Amino acid sequence: DVKVTQSSRYLVKRTGEKVFLECVQDMDHENMFWYRQDPGLGLRLIYFSYDVKMKEKGDIPEGYSVSREKKERFSLILESASTNQTSMYLCASSPTAYEQYFGPGTRLTVT
Amino acid sequence: AQSVTQLGSHVSVSEGALVLLRCNYSSSVPPYLFWYVQYPNQGLQLLLKYTSAATLVKGINGFEAEFKKSETSFHLTKPSAHMSDAAEYFCAVSADSGYALNFGKGTSLLVTP
């Protein structure tokens, strides 16, 4: 069965902190994605990666960076968290196809 | 750029009634189209997908969708709603870059007894 896990379901951080969100998939998928989900805005793509050490900006990369050192792991980094980054963060993976498999999400609150 | 528009941010139906969630797409190339469902406090789960094979696509939990090129639509239907169908539904289309998807803003389905 396909499995995408995210390191935390809920996270509370302070403004200015560096935040790491981890995502791991066990399906040997090439592609991995980070989205943020906000009410009324749907899912917006932050970054994606199609191979180890490769990354591409999505629609809203500002304030975020990513790291993919191993095929199964894709990390989202908030260099200096701000209150407008309070959101639900969803990780997904896919093989060489468009069908994506999602993790359970991390609800991040920045105070 | 490829995009989808979901008509109606909230839809309410009675238990046993037809479910119809609307999605229109814009794409300069033959699209791949998807419907995902999200239950409260969970990630997204794939309901069904259109990948240029049959235009009528059947998915899980009794849902189906029909690809209509002339109407640029991919509406989601279910003949009889169950209480357990209450959730957020997202339509998505293949994006320009890599294997990314562009998602609609979502439709929240409420099922009343």
Side-chain angles (χ1 to χ4, degrees), chain A residues 9-15 17 19 21 78 81-89 106-111:
Chain A
R9 292 299 305 274
Y10 300 92
L11 207 53
V12 179
K13 295 292 182 181
R14 294 195 180 275
T15 302
E17 278 193 82
V19 181
L21 302 182
L78 287 66
S82 64
T83 55
N84 63 13
Q85 293 178 309
T86 291
S87 186
M88 170 72 92
Y89 289 88
T106 295
R107 189 169 294 280
L108 172 67
T109 302
V110 182
T111 61

Side-chain angles (χ1 to χ4, degrees), chain A residues 9 37 40 97 99-100 103, chain B residues 36 38 41 43 46 49 99 105:
Chain A
R9 292 299 305 274
Q37 180 182 11
E99 182 174 333
Q100 295 185 11
Chain B
Y36 282 85
Q38 184 181 35
N41 296 315
L46 180 68
K49 61 183 177 182
Y99 289 100
K105 294 184 178 182

